[in-house]
Amino acid sequence: MTDTSVTLQTELASHNSETLSTTPVQKELMRQMIVILDFGSQYSELIARRIRETQVYSEVLSYRTTAQQLQQLNPQGIILSGGPNSVYDQGTPLCDPEIWHLGIPVLGVCYGMQLMVQQLGGEVARAERAEYGKAALYIDDPTDLLTNVEEGSTMWMSHGDSCQKLPPGFETLAHTENTPCAAIADHNKKLYGVQFHPEVVHSADGIALIRNFVYHICECEPTWTTAAFVEETIREIRAKVGEKRVLLALSGGVDSSTLAFLLHEAIGDQLTCMFIDQGFMRKEEPERLVKLFGEEFHIPVEYVNARDRFLTQLEGITDPEEKRRRIGHEFIHVFEEESKRLGPFDYLAQGTLYPDVIESADTNVDPQTGERVAVKIKSHHNVGGLPKDLCFKLVEPLRKLFKDEVRKVGRSIGLPEEIVRRHPFPGPGLAIRIIGEVTAERLNILRDADLIVRQEINRQGMYHDFWQAFAVLLPVRSVGVMGDQRTYAHPIVLRFVSSEDGMTADWSRAPYDLLETISNRIVNEVKGVNRVVYDITSKPPGTIEWE
């Protein structure tokens, strides 16, 4: 990864159309870049991640990006994403038709392929037989795009439209039982289209197709490496910050911890880490975090105990959105008070990741300096928005990385596995794993139950078998019997899920003996609980967290 701390003046994810300017370092980055034009596909981020897995840099930009803007970015290749629309509908999203004449290789995926066909003189219409799910791919031309893609391999389809007539110069590369033109190409112009989704795990040889496009057709080199990213980022941080001070709100998760390590390596004592304990962390975690960073990593952390303040804010509150709002609001007040006490600071460091940039496209630029100014910290990092008069400048070295890339960076700079591979934990913490009102008693019950869950999945060596594994406390009571006496106590819900990125998830088929051990321990050891149940809902239709 040559240089992700640099912000291109075109944050084209924010759909602006200003003239672009680039530094020499940015130009080198862009020389080895694949651009994904997003037409509203749920898989656009996934395409970008698959490109990154080939060690080639990728960016997701708006479909409104013009051919002129793309020419300035000078990517090695362009991918048009899928999308929910039909190309023949009125008002459907269209790309700049001049893109086809840039001389840059283009790969259209699903809707992207249909758009290519229509704009270049072919025909797209409602298919006689729609295709959703797995389909066998039969190859008519095994060269170029489909090199090393096996005959009959499974590909993931999701379309109701189909190409009826190819544009001039195109030929069919592959078909399926229901789709005559499942893959197409104009080899001379290096324009390619696939009706399926090679980026999803269900497409068996999808990554082989992507590699063919990236390496052989676009002629990219694998320069996007963790070592290069770390080296360039540390240099960029030093150049940007100079001798000034930086404040980081540390949560203990992989993002903020990796950021703390990077910043400390770059600027040392100019960094101040502040951990605000809102009282919703797991058992003994705040103490462990402060000790770990201070004694083992030699990165001092300013510990702020605000437990009583946050708990007071949630008295009588049962609505989950109101909980989040109040937690975020109180975090702002505490953060403001403590930053003034510890400051002054010129920069605020945030663990913003690339999916956050894509989803929010939120830029606030100081018109005098061109620097991004912090008006808010992301809600999933415990906050809802900073007052405008704080006006820190932002340091966001991870803002071009996906989660799996952050983990790689963390490992490379010495972050221990217990943090690198830690299960995702929500910013509001246990407050949204207690359904209904949050009280000190309920927090203690859930902390004890949660500790048992973590102890047992670790004891059986299964911690990394799950994307997340945690307990939820319900605000109801059920009848039980303990020691020949009737009880009336809370149930605990166990929620174990498997996922690649948290966007979708399936409930985990945890071993019965593991569930039995956890259930027995919780009922016997946690006062106030007499029943344990297991959540077998996938996402969708459910969410991973209960609130």
Side-chain angles (χ1 to χ4, degrees), residues 310-326:
F310 280 88
L311 198 56
T312 299
Q313 287 295 321
L314 296 188
E315 286 181 4
I317 304 301
T318 60
D319 179 76
E321 288 307 311
E322 180 65 12
K323 282 187 195 178
R324 290 178 181 271
R325 191 194 69 80
R326 289 189 174 224

Side-chain angles (χ1 to χ4, degrees), residues 86-323:
S86 293
V87 294
Y88 47 75
D89 286 345
Q90 188 174 1
T92 196
L94 305 175
C95 65
D96 184 344
E98 291 302 312
I99 286 173
W100 314 118
H101 308 298
L102 292 175
I104 300 172
V106 180
L107 172 63
V109 176
C110 198
Y111 177 86
M113 168 182 155
Q114 295 166 7
L115 182 59
M116 178 187 295
V117 168
Q118 186 200 53
Q119 289 193 329
L120 291 174
E123 294 180 6
V124 176
R126 175 67 61 184
E128 290 184 15
R129 305 171 83 181
E131 242 177 351
Y132 297 97
K134 297 177 181 179
L137 187 72
Y138 302 108
I139 299 173
D140 303 302
D141 181 353
T143 62
D144 217 357
L145 187 68
L146 300 182
T147 302
N148 297 322
V149 175
E150 292 187 10
E151 173 74 10
S153 64
T154 297
M155 294 296 179
W156 187 259
M157 292 285 190
S158 182
H159 68 101
D161 295 335
S162 184
C163 173
Q164 304 296 313
K165 177 185 174 183
L166 290 179
F170 277 80
E171 61 184 80
T172 300
L173 301 182
H175 64 278
T176 68
E177 185 177 346
N178 293 337
T179 304
C181 300
I184 61 173
D186 181 332
H187 292 291
N188 292 329
K189 295 181 179 178
K190 292 191 174 182
L191 303 179
Y192 301 85
V194 292
Q195 188 59 72
F196 49 88
H197 289 273
E199 70 273 17
V200 303
V201 294
H202 307 293
S203 293
D205 287 331
I207 192 64
L209 185 151
I210 289 171
R211 286 178 180 274
N212 290 336
F213 181 72
V214 170
Y215 290 143
H216 305 312
I217 295 170
C218 298
E219 300 180 353
C220 291
E221 297 176 2
T223 57
W224 181 252
T225 66
T226 300
F229 169 79
V230 172
E231 181 181 347
E232 290 288 348
T233 299
I234 289 175
R235 183 160 56 243
E236 289 287 342
I237 292 170
R238 288 171 179 166
K240 181 173 185 175
V241 172
E243 301 297 321
K244 296 179 179 178
R245 298 182 67 199
V246 178
L247 176 63
L248 169 63
L250 186 69
S251 69
V254 64
D255 302 339
S256 67
S257 298
T258 299
L259 182 54
F261 267 55
L262 270 176
L263 289 167
H264 192 257
E265 178 69 21
I267 59 174
D269 293 341
Q270 292 168 244
L271 171 68
T272 297
C273 293
M274 176 170 62
F275 173 71
I276 298 176
D277 182 1
Q278 46 8 3
F280 308 136
M281 296 290 285
R282 290 162 164 169
K283 193 165 188 175
E284 300 174 356
E285 274 200 347
E287 297 81 4
R288 169 63 177 157
L289 175 69
V290 173
K291 183 177 180 180
L292 188 66
F293 272 78
E295 296 182 7
E296 296 188 29
F297 306 155
H298 306 293
I299 303 176
V301 177
E302 293 286 341
Y303 173 78
V304 180
N305 187 342
R307 295 181 181 184
D308 292 341
R309 291 180 60 165
F310 280 88
L311 198 56
T312 299
Q313 287 295 321
L314 296 188
E315 286 181 4
I317 304 301
T318 60
D319 179 76
E321 288 307 311
E322 180 65 12
K323 282 187 195 178

Side-chain angles (χ1 to χ4, degrees), residues 8-12 16-22 66 68-69 72-73:
L8 300 179
Q9 273 191 317
T10 157
E11 217 24 278
L12 286 177
N16 70 51
S17 57
E18 298 175 359
T19 302
L20 313 180
S21 62
T22 57
T66 66
Q68 182 183 3
Q69 289 172 325
Q72 289 181 296
L73 288 172

